[in-house]
Amino acid sequence: VQLQASGGGVVQAGGSLRLSCAGSGRTFSRYVMAWFRQAPGKEREFVAGIRWSDSTTNYADSVKGRFTISRDNAKNTVNLQMNSLKPEDTAVYYCAADESILLSTKSRTYAYWGQGTQVTVSS
């Protein structure tokens, strides 16, 4: 499984960005996919996840109501729409996948990782 993340950048507070994670090497019908982020000096934390089979989603409390995770079957892609961005959202964002039905928030449960993409929100 290969995951390719894209879409990071620099945005002002209150702005929006859309991250994409393109998967290849498998069909993801039995996978869960998630976004994590890691700010300098901090541990990697769960942001949002989606179960491919039924589009069940889960969000960290810090992003609920602002971020939306979705999947695109045709493109084998998971997207993260980030609105109302705050400076504290600044981090490297990673997409992850695992062949599981459990929508875990723990990074150690995910077997496959994409490269990170930097998101910087200026105040």
Side-chain angles (χ1 to χ4, degrees):
V1 174
Q2 291 82 43
L3 302 175
Q4 181 72 37
S6 61
V10 180
V11 64
Q12 288 189 331
S16 298
L17 282 174
R18 184 179 178 88
L19 305 183
S20 293
C21 178
S24 62
R26 297 284 170 86
T27 55
F28 291 96
S29 59
R30 292 181 297 197
Y31 278 66
V32 292
M33 299 185 75
W35 287 94
F36 288 78
R37 66 187 181 186
Q38 189 166 19
K42 295 188 176 181
E43 292 188 354
R44 191 168 298 188
E45 64 174 359
F46 174 81
V47 176
I50 187 167
R51 186 161 57 216
W52 198 276
S53 61
D54 61 4
S55 293
T56 297
T57 58
N58 191 19
Y59 296 93
D61 287 342
S62 59
V63 306
K64 279 181 182 176
R66 301 188 297 122
F67 291 11
T68 303
I69 190 170
S70 62
R71 61 169 172 77
D72 184 329
N73 277 348
K75 297 180 179 180
N76 239 22
T77 297
V78 170
N79 300 308
L80 184 68
Q81 179 65 41
M82 305 186 295
N83 298 328
S84 302
L85 283 161
K86 304 175 182 180
E88 50 263 45
D89 294 317
T90 295
V92 177
Y93 284 69
Y94 298 89
C95 61
D98 195 61
E99 190 171 10
S100 172
I101 62 171
L102 298 178
L103 198 47
S104 173
T105 63
K106 306 297 184 184
S107 60
R108 64 179 180 269
T109 65
Y110 287 83
Y112 305 102
W113 291 84
Q115 89 291 1
T117 185
Q118 177 71 47
V119 171
T120 302
V121 185
S122 60
S123 56

